[in-house]
Amino acid sequence: MTTYNGAIHLQEQLDSLTGQHFLPTELIVGDDGSTDGTIEILECFRREAPFPVVIHSNSIRLGYRANFMKIARLCTGDLISFCDQDDVWLPNNLDRVVGSFADPDVLLTFHNARVVDGQRHLISPLYAEPPSAFISPRLALPPWMSSYGFTQTFRADLLPAAALWGQMKDHYYPDEAMGHDLFFFLIASAVGKVCYIDDELTEYRLHGGNTVGTGKRTKPGMVERWRYRFEDRSETYGYLARVAPIDAELFSHLSKMEAFPKHLRQRSTEAAVAWRELGPIYSDRAQVCSARLIDRLVAFVHLCRKGGYSEASFWTFGSKAMIKDLVLGVVLAPLVRRLGRTSSRDDRSCRRGRCSQT
């Protein structure tokens, strides 16, 4: 758990931890310089808790990403769950999550949640529909997929990779360090299985002061779907083309890291190859959306020849994307760039092709 001036909601979250059917092995807390009553609440809880509680007070503010990464490396359990200070865990949270790790190849589990307001009134489920299968094999999920940290539990086997976190760039926010949740999801989905539990196991509180938040989660309507189709994604594709080689380098380093489990090092080699292949197809797709006509056409032909739209490829945009890129890219790119809204970097349409069926 990380904390920062969270006194108003913290006690409810702490009480929900002691109310778990399957109690935590420990609670490791990193406080980022709170000036309200957060530390006093934590110290009181530490004295009464039915499990060990360790509180680390940062001498300088780290920010939530670095704070979570620091605290994760201090955990001693076999399974590590991220815990936000202002949420509430349902009593069966850990019981359901721990059971999903019966398969030794599952490296990370994430679950659904209830989005609630400051008074814990229901707004919506976090996921209106399941974002993935119950069990996803390694390298079968879309390359840019992630999940919220407060829904995540992962094996401590992944912790040695945290030493490489500082070199990573976030997939969603340029020039920012990669989110702690995205980092472990990226690695877990590339070298092992990922499990999704559709039960709502946490109340995710939106109170107006969240560092990161989400609104009501619903399926997009017709208007929103059409607006999405006409977004100008040239900058997004260009950014992802630059990020993919950084991810490839991460897996290349992991394949040689002695502290990383041997079987995961071997799988990291394949992941590095996959991510190296991803960069060029995004570079071509950025050209399809932004270059002059002849270069748009050349980039489109490159994508077709390299299998960028083929369901048999390692990474694929799919056949529908081919028609879209031909019409809205090669033919109408100048019009889309002039009239369409700029992408919010949420286009994650590329997916694994031939492996998605295994």
Side-chain angles (χ1 to χ4, degrees):
M1 173 187 285
T2 64
T3 58
Y4 177 69
N5 289 344
I8 188 171
H9 299 301
L10 178 58
Q11 190 62 57
E12 282 186 289
Q13 176 66 303
L14 295 174
D15 290 343
S16 76
L17 299 184
T18 60
Q20 291 296 299
H21 298 160
F22 188 105
L23 284 176
T25 301
E26 63 184 2
L27 174 63
I28 311 298
V29 183
D31 184 76
D32 215 16
S34 294
T35 56
D36 60 358
T38 294
I39 292 295
E40 289 76 8
I41 294 172
L42 289 171
E43 288 291 354
C44 182
F45 180 77
R46 182 181 61 81
R47 291 191 292 269
E48 303 293 335
F51 43 79
V53 177
V54 181
I55 304 168
H56 295 268
S57 297
N58 300 329
S59 57
I60 59 173
R61 284 205 62 194
L62 300 178
Y64 74 94
R65 291 179 174 92
N67 199 9
F68 266 120
M69 293 301 297
K70 171 188 173 182
I71 295 305
R73 298 175 74 177
L74 296 174
C75 294
T76 63
D78 294 331
L79 300 175
I80 299 165
S81 297
F82 289 127
C83 182
D84 288 351
Q85 65 183 5
D86 47 7
D87 296 336
V88 175
W89 285 16
L90 273 67
N92 63 335
N93 186 313
L94 286 180
D95 191 41
R96 289 285 288 113
V97 166
V98 169
S100 69
F101 285 92
D103 181 344
D105 211 26
V106 170
L107 297 183
L108 183 146
T109 290
F110 68 111
H111 58 76
N112 208 343
R114 300 172 185 169
V115 181
V116 300
D117 64 17
Q119 289 71 48
R120 296 175 59 185
H121 298 139
L122 179 65
I123 298 176
S124 72
L126 180 66
Y127 295 110
E129 55 187 18
S132 68
F134 173 62
I135 296 289
S136 297
R138 61 190 176 97
L139 284 173
L141 290 171
W144 312 110
M145 183 176 172
S146 183
S147 62
Y148 284 88
F150 73 91
T151 72
Q152 284 185 4
T153 298
F154 61 93
R155 291 192 188 273
D157 290 347
L158 301 180
L159 279 180
L164 303 174
W165 169 74
Q167 72 187 39
M168 304 304 296
K169 295 296 183 182
D170 198 85
H171 293 170
Y172 300 88
Y173 305 100
D175 302 322
E176 291 192 18
M178 180 173 282
H180 57 288
D181 41 11
L182 173 54
F183 180 77
F184 286 108
F185 194 100
L186 169 66
I187 297 171
S189 62
V191 299
K193 296 177 182 178
V194 169
C195 175
Y196 170 68
I197 302 172
D198 201 36
D199 296 347
E200 298 169 9
L201 301 179
T202 297
E203 292 184 4
Y204 179 49
R205 194 196 310 255
L206 297 180
H207 47 75
N210 305 73
T211 302
V212 176
T214 180
K216 183 176 182 180
R217 305 295 289 258
T218 59
K219 297 180 181 179
M222 182 180 297
V223 173
E224 190 61 26
R225 289 197 298 269
W226 277 102
R227 288 184 67 190
Y228 173 79
R229 291 188 178 100
F230 281 90
E231 282 184 346
D232 173 15
R233 301 199 183 96
S234 56
E235 291 185 10
T236 294
Y237 296 150
Y239 176 68
L240 296 178
R242 297 190 296 273
V243 167
I246 299 175
D247 291 352
E249 193 64 19
L250 166 68
F251 290 111
S252 180
H253 286 312
L254 288 176
S255 70
K256 304 165 189 173
M257 179 181 281
E258 289 296 326
F260 208 48
K262 183 177 180 180
H263 69 292
L264 300 185
R265 295 203 303 268
Q266 295 170 342
R267 296 174 183 178
S268 295
T269 300
E270 180 182 355
V273 172
W275 282 92
R276 287 194 191 99
E277 292 179 355
L278 193 61
I281 69 171
Y282 266 98
S283 181
D284 279 335
R285 202 172 192 197
Q287 287 287 97
V288 167
C289 297
S290 62
R292 59 178 183 167
L293 177 59
I294 185 62
D295 293 328
R296 296 200 303 272
L297 182 59
V298 169
F300 180 76
V301 171
H302 282 171
L303 277 172
C304 292
R305 288 180 173 176
K306 290 187 293 189
Y309 304 111
S310 169
E311 297 297 345
S313 298
F314 197 97
W315 299 121
T316 178
F317 296 115
S319 56
K320 290 183 179 179
M322 180 175 67
I323 299 172
K324 176 182 176 181
D325 284 357
L326 178 60
V327 176
L328 298 181
V330 175
V331 178
L332 298 177
L335 183 64
V336 171
R337 286 175 63 81
R338 186 166 65 251
L339 301 179
R341 65 180 181 179
T342 302
S343 171
S344 56
R345 302 191 186 279
D346 60 357
D347 186 309
R348 302 292 182 265
S349 57
C350 191
R351 60 190 188 277
R352 180 73 183 267
R354 62 174 182 267
C355 186
S356 61
Q357 301 174 0
T358 64

